[in-house]
Amino acid sequence: MKHSLEKLVRCPEGELKFTDNQVQLLLGNIGNLDPVIRDDLVYTLFARGFLERAFTHEQEQTIINTFITEKKLFKDIAKPQNDNVFLRSFSALLGSVILETDQETEILTNGQRKQLFAWSIDYLLREKDYRGYVEGKGWAHSIAHGSDFLGAALSHPKFLKQEQSGVMQIIPTIFKKMDAPFVDDEEQRLAFAFYQGVKADKIALSSFIELINQSDIARYQELQKDDLLSWHKLSTWLRLLQNWYFFFDATKDLQVILKEKITKYYTEMGYE
């Protein structure tokens, strides 16, 4: 199998083609525990297949229908920490590739598109395995991959602003479920998804500012517990603020608010 997939990966742009059996092989190995097969081969071929339009129309529909009907995005999501996090998080990456392709050329029905939009939010609300890199198995990276999926939904021209209600619960939910610090740049991927939403006018600026203000208050209130995790959460919050300050360089009023929160952190921590 690995040799067959490696041969496909080596195909030059414009020459990549898939048999139906190869498409099934990809679908059956989204969450393969071998990181080379999962990351370097299967995901790479899904991405190239869609972005280079190397899949036939029928093959694209097979992938989309399988994605929706088999619901691998949520496989064992309610169970204790398990290896299906790789299946879930790489399904999230596939979801982002499908939505990005659909932005350029419509490959989804209205019903399919609405389903993916809803799942891009629901996944981050439901996932609780926040591992980044797992020794011997590679990247789980659920928050990063889920953020990519969310960003692809929020930047999609057909995502409706009124569908954003669940989006504003994502960051509070992630902080509530955190049981260890993020160490694999999850913050910048999450921050960028929200930036995409505001930039595309799918998240109201007023709602985003309210989220920032409420989250900032929550982080300092939690410090009163004086436990190590609350300090890790505050550091994570600082990195979100810093990323947003950089991303929103053209939105001066918002930058003022973000700078205020960042300055507050340095003042509270005694950097004067």
Side-chain angles (χ1 to χ4, degrees), residues 91-138:
S91 292
L93 280 184
L94 175 57
S96 69
V97 169
I98 292 170
L99 285 178
E100 287 166 2
T101 304
D102 188 63
Q103 287 190 40
E104 301 298 323
T105 305
E106 290 190 11
I107 58 173
L108 297 169
T109 66
N110 288 335
Q112 290 171 335
R113 190 177 298 112
K114 190 171 182 178
Q115 185 72 81
L116 265 64
F117 288 162
W119 282 359
S120 73
I121 300 167
D122 200 26
Y123 174 68
L124 284 172
L125 292 174
R126 293 175 60 185
E127 182 62 80
K128 58 184 181 181
D129 188 340
Y130 290 176
R131 287 177 292 171
Y133 187 82
V134 180
E135 193 66 34
K137 296 176 183 176

Side-chain angles (χ1 to χ4, degrees), residues 176-220:
K176 185 177 180 179
K177 292 182 182 179
M178 277 182 69
D179 60 6
F182 289 129
V183 295
D184 291 310
D185 293 332
E186 287 87 351
E187 296 95 342
Q188 62 200 46
R189 304 273 277 273
L190 182 59
F192 189 65
F194 277 79
Y195 165 72
Q196 288 176 287
V198 175
K199 182 182 178 183
D201 196 29
K202 303 303 169 63
I203 295 176
L205 183 59
S206 59
S207 297
F208 184 59
I209 291 172
E210 183 179 358
L211 173 67
I212 291 171
N213 288 331
Q214 290 180 349
S215 297
D216 197 69
I217 292 169
R219 297 286 63 78
Y220 287 98

Side-chain angles (χ1 to χ4, degrees), residues 75-99:
K75 177 71 172 176
D76 290 338
I77 199 167
K79 293 183 179 180
Q81 192 175 92
N82 58 80
D83 282 341
N84 275 325
V85 67
F86 296 98
L87 177 62
R88 297 192 298 269
S89 71
F90 277 82
S91 292
L93 280 184
L94 175 57
S96 69
V97 169
I98 292 170
L99 285 178

